[in-house]
C-alpha cells in the first residue's frame, strides 16, 4: 500500500464543514428535546386509564422501533407528496427525528413509570391528589430520574443518526463531507476528520446532558456530592 495522506485540500471546504456542523447541532437539539417532550407525553398516555390512547401509543412505538430512521425520512419526504403534503427537506428531517426519538423515549419512560411502587400512588390517592397531580409530583420525577441514563444514550444515538439526513440532500456534517469527498477525491482524509468530529460530539453531548441531569434531579446531585 502506497497511500499518501493529504489533508491540505480539505481546508478549502472548512466553511462548508463548519456550516454542516452547526446544522447537525440544530437537528440534534430539535430531535432530542422535541423527542423527549413527545416521548414523555406518549409514555404518560400509554400508562393512562384511557384504552384507545394506550393502543395508539403502542402502535406508534412499534412502528417507530421496527422501521429504520432512513425509511421514516423517505416516507415523510418522498411519500407524503403523493397525498398532497409537501415538505421541505429540512422540515421533513425535523419531523422524522422527533418522531423517531419520541418512540424510543416513550418506551424508556414507560418503564420508569411502571417501576414506581404502588404504595407511592396509594399514598398520593389517600392525600386526595388527582391523577394528574399524582403523575406530576409523585410518579414522573423519580421515574425520569431512574431512566435518565438510557435517555441520554438514546439522545446521543439520535445525534449520530442525523448523518442519515444527507440522503435527501440536507447538508449536515456528513452531507458537507460527501460534497468535499466527491470534489477532492480525498475520501479517506475527509471521513477520518468527520469521524473524529462525531466522536468529540459524542462526548460533548453526553457531558452536557449529564450535567443537565444533575441540575434537574436534586437527589442525583446529592448522591454525587456525598460520594465526593
Amino acid at each position: 500500500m502506497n497511500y499518501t495522506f493529504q489533508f491540505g485540500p480539505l481546508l478549502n471546504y472548512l466553511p462548508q464543514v463548519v456550516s454542516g456542523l452547526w446544522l447537525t447541532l440544530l437537528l440534534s437539539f430539535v430531535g432530542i428535546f422535541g423527542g423527549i417532550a413527545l416521548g414523555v407525553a406518549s409514555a404518560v398516555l400509554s400508562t393512562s386509564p384511557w384504552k384507545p390512547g394506550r393502543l395508539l401509543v403502542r402502535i406508534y412505538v412499534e412502528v417507530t422501533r421496527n422501521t429504520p430512521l432512513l425509511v421514516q425520512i423517505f416516507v415523510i419526504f418522498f411519500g407524503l407528496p403523493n397525498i398532497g403534503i409537501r415538505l421541505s427537506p429540512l422540515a421533513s428531517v425535523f419531523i422524522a427525528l422527533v418522531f423517531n426519538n419520541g418512540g424510543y423515549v416513550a418506551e424508556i419512560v414507560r418503564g420508569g413509570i411502571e417501576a414506581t411502587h404502588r404504595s407511592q400512588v396509594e399514598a398520593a390517592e389517600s392525600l386526595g391528589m388527582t391523577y394528574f397531580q399524582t403523575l406530576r409530583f409523585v410518579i414522573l420525577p423519580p421515574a425520569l430520574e431512574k431512566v435518565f441514563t438510557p435517555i441520554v444514550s438514546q439522545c446521543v444515538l439520535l445525534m449520530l443518526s442525523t448523518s442519515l439526513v444527507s440522503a435527501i440532500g440536507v447538508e449536515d456534517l456528513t452531507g458537507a463531507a460527501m460534497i468535499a469527498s466527491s470534489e477532492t477525491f480525498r475520501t479517506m482524509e475527509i471521513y477520518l476528520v468527520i469521524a473524529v468530529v462525531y466522536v468529540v460530539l459524542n462526548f460533548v453531548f453526553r457531558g452536557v446532558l449529564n450535567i443537565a441531569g444533575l441540575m434537574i434531579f436534586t437527589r442525583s446531585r446529592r448522591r454525587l456530592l456525598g460520594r465526593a
Side-chain angles (χ1 to χ4, degrees):
M1 184 179 69
N2 190 24
Y3 186 84
T4 303
F5 285 91
Q6 296 181 21
F7 291 93
L10 305 184
L11 295 177
N12 296 327
Y13 293 87
L14 186 59
Q16 289 95 318
V17 171
V18 172
S19 176
L21 173 60
W22 281 114
L23 183 53
T24 293
L25 293 175
L26 176 61
L27 292 171
S28 301
F29 179 86
V30 173
I32 287 172
F33 291 100
I36 289 175
L38 178 60
V40 171
S42 298
V44 169
L45 189 58
S46 71
T47 56
S48 71
W50 189 42
K51 189 173 181 180
R54 297 200 305 269
L55 178 61
L56 185 64
V57 173
R58 187 74 261 162
I59 294 171
Y60 162 55
V61 169
E62 290 300 325
V63 169
T64 303
R65 298 178 68 195
N66 291 288
T67 56
L69 174 58
L70 185 59
V71 172
Q72 295 168 19
I73 294 172
F74 283 170
V75 168
I76 294 171
F77 183 64
F78 294 115
L80 291 183
N82 293 324
I83 59 173
I85 303 175
R86 296 185 179 276
L87 299 172
S88 67
L90 203 55
S92 298
V93 297
F94 278 142
I95 294 171
L97 291 172
V98 171
F99 178 85
N100 182 271
N101 197 36
Y104 283 93
V105 171
E107 195 68 357
I108 294 171
V109 176
R110 182 187 64 81
I113 292 175
E114 293 183 346
T116 302
H117 201 277
R118 179 61 189 169
S119 61
Q120 293 178 278
V121 178
E122 291 174 349
E125 291 174 348
S126 68
L127 293 173
M129 298 176 69
T130 66
Y131 171 76
F132 289 104
Q133 287 176 328
T134 303
L135 195 65
R136 178 183 176 186
F137 297 108
V138 177
I139 298 176
L140 269 183
L144 291 174
E145 185 172 2
K146 288 175 186 174
V147 300
F148 189 73
T149 298
I151 287 177
V152 169
S153 297
Q154 168 55 33
C155 290
V156 171
L157 286 174
L158 180 84
M159 181 274 295
L160 296 175
S161 298
T162 58
S163 60
L164 296 173
V165 306
S166 59
I168 61 171
V170 177
E171 293 186 17
D172 69 321
L173 188 58
T174 301
M178 292 172 65
I179 294 173
S181 175
S182 64
E183 294 181 359
T184 64
F185 300 103
R186 310 309 300 182
T187 304
M188 177 69 80
E189 290 89 334
I190 184 62
Y191 284 113
L192 280 176
V193 171
I194 297 304
V196 171
V197 173
Y198 275 116
V199 170
V200 172
L201 286 178
N202 176 22
F203 287 105
V204 169
F205 270 73
R206 284 188 185 277
V208 170
L209 290 171
N210 283 323
I211 291 172
L214 290 175
M215 294 175 64
I216 295 170
F217 302 115
T218 55
R219 288 196 303 176
S220 295
R221 186 165 65 247
R222 286 197 296 267
R223 283 199 297 267
L224 181 64
L225 292 175
R227 287 197 297 267

